[in-house]
């Protein structure tokens, strides 16, 4: 099932024409109404074709911070109907806002990606994204209602309440960060429950980069299909892109958000298929239009036809954020590459942390992992530091990581249940 046939299966030429119309309108709207953007873009800017997009200046998170809270808004306060904020890593958060029309677009793009993952009218959605200023909770809430689902607004945290409601309400759909979904499932199993037998059909997981290994772990524990979803509050929240049943990239709602890929260092456009930083321009947003917003997320773009029949551009699964990249002994390492290698090892639990120590001249990284129950059984059922089985596994993990990331790192096997489980967004990298 496709939620919006007209928009999602539009012929390529029609799609480009619509994008061009909307881009022109967005540039006009922004330049007329947002003084700092008028200064930067120039009042006389005209867009003749889609390639002219590359002549526009970038917008960055720092611009939102600099014009905090409402300096980049294009409508008066009275026209806003909702405000969200993104987690600021340092100092003040980033404030984003929506007109009634913007919320309508948000519900529409959420409905598209949820239906692409298997959501249907009449289903029940267990929503374990955090409610509040974070866009995850209310984004999935509104999208689920638009589809015609019964939404259970559980929010993040309080794992025991998730166990209870999942077992008693038997939802078809689950929405959560992948790390929290895994924690709910594993802790339910540890408490004697059978998450795989609850009848869950699909999970929509996002807000942190995750890997195919994590997909297998989630599908195993829940007995459902796991779909990747993508978004960011500066653009709209979740709903920017999501996987279809083919699961060969995430369809971008590119009649609302125009994607391009640029070189993260120079900002030069990259060709289709080449990896780089995702840059998004909103095409229909009125309260807070964004021209060429630097997402910091590393991916690649394709417009090749998809088996599902949707004609929108697709992005590859996110590799991580450009600023998550660790430079260890001169080698560029994404935490997602470490995750891919670790989750391929059956004798490890799918939880890990990277401890990064930049206090020395050369940054050091130590990888913390936990052994799976099968290995513990071979150690006689109890955790024994230095046991030959533990040592053998530690060496194997080190070897695999060396092959995967091209770098020798220190590996520590830690006792079961000592790596913190996430009740929201996982903390994978700890700076010492
Ligand atoms: Zn598809």
């Amino acid at each position: 099932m496709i939620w919006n046939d007209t928009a999602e299966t539009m012929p390529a030429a029609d799609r480009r024409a619509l994008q061009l119309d909307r881009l022109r309108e967005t540039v006009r709207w922004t330049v007329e109404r947002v003084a700092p953007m008028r200064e930067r873009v120039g009042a006389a800017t005209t867009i003749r074709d889609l390639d002219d997009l590359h002549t526009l200046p970038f917008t960055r998170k720092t611009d939102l911070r600099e014009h905090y809270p409402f300096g980049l808004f294009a409508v008066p306060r009275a026209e806003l109907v909702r405000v969200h904020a993104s987690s600021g890593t340092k100092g003040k958060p980033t404030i984003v806002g929506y007109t009634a029309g913007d919320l309508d677009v948000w519900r529409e793009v959420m409905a598209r990606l949820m239906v692409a993952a298997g959501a249907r009218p009449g289903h029940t959605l267990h929503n374990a994204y955090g409610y509040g200023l974070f866009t995850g909770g209310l984004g999935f809430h509104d999208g689920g209602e638009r589809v015609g689902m019964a939404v259970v607004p559980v929010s993040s945290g309080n794992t025991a309440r998730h166990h209870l409601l999942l077992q008693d309400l038997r939802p078809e759909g689950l929405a959560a960060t992948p790390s929290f979904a895994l924690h709910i499932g594993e802790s339910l199993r540890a408490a004697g429950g059978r998450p795989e037998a609850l009848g869950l059909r699909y999970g929509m997981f996002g807000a942190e980069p995750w890997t195919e290994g994590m997909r297998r772990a989630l599908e195993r524990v829940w007995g459902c299909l796991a779909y990747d979803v993508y978004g960011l509050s500066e653009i709209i929240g979740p709903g920017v892109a999501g996987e279809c049943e083919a699961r060969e990239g995430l369809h971008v709602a590119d009649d609302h958000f125009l994607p391009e890929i640029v070189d993260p260092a120079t900002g030069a456009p990259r060709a289709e298929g080449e990896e780089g930083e995702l840059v998004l321009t909103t095409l229909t947003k009125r309260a807070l239009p964004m021209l060429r917003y630097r997402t910091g997320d590393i991916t690649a773009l394709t417009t090749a036809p998809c088996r599902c029949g949707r004609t929108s551009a697709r992005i590859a699964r996110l590799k991580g954020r450009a600023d998550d990249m660790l430079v260890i002994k001169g080698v560029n390492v994404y935490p997602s590459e470490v995750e891919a290698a670790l989750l391929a090892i059956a004798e490890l639990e799918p939880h890990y942390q990277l401890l990064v120590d930049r206090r020395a001249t050369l940054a050091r990284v130590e990888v913390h992992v936990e052994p799976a129950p099968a290995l513990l059984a071979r150690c006689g059922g109890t955790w024994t530091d230095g046991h030959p089985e533990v040592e053998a596994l530690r060496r194997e993990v080190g070897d695999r990581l060396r092959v995967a990331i091209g770098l020798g790192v220190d590996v520590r096997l830690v006792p079961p249940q000592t790596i913190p489980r996430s009740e929201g967004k996982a903390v994978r990298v700890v700076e010492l």
Side-chain angles (χ1 to χ4, degrees):
M1 178 179 164
I2 290 177
W3 175 255
N4 184 337
D5 252 316
T6 317
E8 293 181 80
T9 65
M10 197 183 305
D14 296 359
R15 185 177 292 278
R16 281 194 300 274
L18 180 68
Q19 287 170 334
L20 179 57
D21 273 357
R22 288 180 168 179
L23 176 62
R24 281 180 177 139
E25 174 59 16
T26 297
V27 171
R28 194 189 58 77
W29 180 267
T30 309
V31 164
E32 272 179 22
R33 291 163 166 256
V34 186
M37 294 308 287
R38 178 164 55 245
E39 230 163 77
R40 185 184 295 182
V41 176
T45 299
T46 50
I47 300 290
R48 285 154 305 170
D49 54 50
L50 281 176
D51 281 341
D52 283 347
L53 178 66
H54 305 313
T55 66
L56 298 174
F58 293 116
T59 308
R60 297 165 201 272
K61 198 174 178 81
T62 48
D63 294 313
L64 282 153
R65 224 175 270 147
E66 192 181 321
H67 298 283
Y68 175 90
F70 294 116
L72 295 184
F73 279 55
V75 298
R77 291 275 291 278
E79 286 182 35
L80 297 180
V81 296
R82 174 96 64 83
V83 167
H84 278 282
S86 77
S87 44
T89 38
K90 31 185 122 79
K92 287 179 174 168
T94 302
I95 301 289
V96 300
Y98 306 78
T99 64
D102 293 338
L103 283 190
D104 206 49
V105 167
W106 195 9
R107 294 183 179 115
E108 157 72 18
V109 293
M110 282 306 298
R112 289 185 197 174
L113 78 76
M114 293 172 80
V115 164
R120 297 292 180 267
H123 283 187
T124 295
L125 173 69
H126 184 97
N127 189 4
Y129 280 108
Y131 278 66
L133 287 171
F134 172 53
T135 47
L138 283 170
F140 273 89
H141 186 102
D142 284 357
E145 286 190 354
R146 173 61 59 93
V147 170
M149 307 173 87
V151 183
V152 188
V154 201
S155 195
S156 52
N158 199 343
T159 305
R161 188 171 49 189
H162 287 275
H163 293 168
L164 178 89
L165 290 170
L166 283 159
Q167 292 180 108
D168 291 350
L169 305 188
R170 303 289 173 115
E172 285 88 355
L174 168 65
T177 60
S179 56
F180 186 39
L182 186 66
H183 173 57
I184 300 172
E186 289 188 333
S187 53
L188 176 58
R189 182 180 285 167
R194 294 184 60 218
E196 75 285 0
L198 293 181
L200 197 70
R201 295 194 205 166
Y202 49 90
M204 293 161 286
F205 304 119
E208 59 193 26
W210 53 295
T211 59
E212 288 301 314
M214 186 63 139
R215 190 189 324 255
R216 284 189 294 275
L218 284 163
E219 294 190 338
R220 212 168 29 237
V221 75
W222 285 112
C224 75
L225 291 168
Y227 291 86
D228 194 5
V229 295
Y230 172 75
L232 62 167
S233 58
E234 293 85 349
I235 296 302
I236 199 146
V240 173
E243 285 181 322
C244 64
E245 64 269 26
R247 302 197 292 177
E248 290 168 355
L250 288 75
H251 286 278
V252 180
D254 59 4
D255 49 337
H256 294 286
F257 318 109
L258 189 58
E260 37 172 342
I261 301 290
V262 304
D263 182 316
T266 66
R270 288 220 163 138
E272 185 165 330
E274 281 179 17
E275 199 170 82
E277 181 179 347
L278 178 66
V279 172
L280 291 164
T281 298
T282 63
L283 294 177
T284 50
K285 217 153 80 159
R286 288 295 171 254
L288 184 58
M290 279 290 153
L291 300 180
R292 302 193 83 199
Y293 185 74
R294 297 284 295 254
T295 67
D297 292 315
I298 302 296
T299 182
L301 195 65
T302 175
T303 54
C306 181
R307 293 194 265 131
C308 71
R310 291 175 183 83
T311 53
S312 46
R314 282 171 292 156
I315 49 172
R317 299 194 70 194
L318 278 275
K319 198 164 180 182
R321 294 185 51 78
D323 39 356
D324 284 344
M325 190 181 77
L326 305 167
V327 182
I328 311 288
K329 298 175 191 163
V331 178
N332 298 347
V333 178
Y334 286 98
S336 62
E337 294 174 310
V338 175
E339 176 177 311
L342 294 178
L343 268 60
I345 302 172
E347 298 203 306
L348 292 181
E349 289 286 282
H351 302 279
Y352 65 94
Q353 264 186 337
L354 309 182
L355 280 77
V356 182
D357 185 355
R358 295 182 207 271
R359 291 169 301 189
T361 322
L362 282 177
R364 276 185 63 248
V365 65
E366 189 172 274
V367 178
H368 285 194
V369 289
E370 284 178 17
L375 183 101
L376 279 182
R378 291 211 305 278
C379 297
T382 48
W383 169 256
T384 326
D385 215 354
H387 190 284
E389 293 276 2
V390 170
E391 278 308 297
L393 178 58
R394 194 179 62 76
R395 277 194 303 275
E396 191 200 335
V397 174
D399 290 346
R400 296 261 206 123
L401 283 176
R402 192 172 308 114
V403 172
I405 63 178
L407 185 71
V409 293
D410 298 323
V411 175
R412 242 187 93 196
L413 257 81
V414 298
Q417 302 293 322
T418 47
I419 292 173
R421 267 45 171 177
S422 145
E423 293 202 334
K425 283 197 192 192
V427 179
R428 303 297 199 194
V429 179
V430 180
E431 300 265 352
L432 294 177

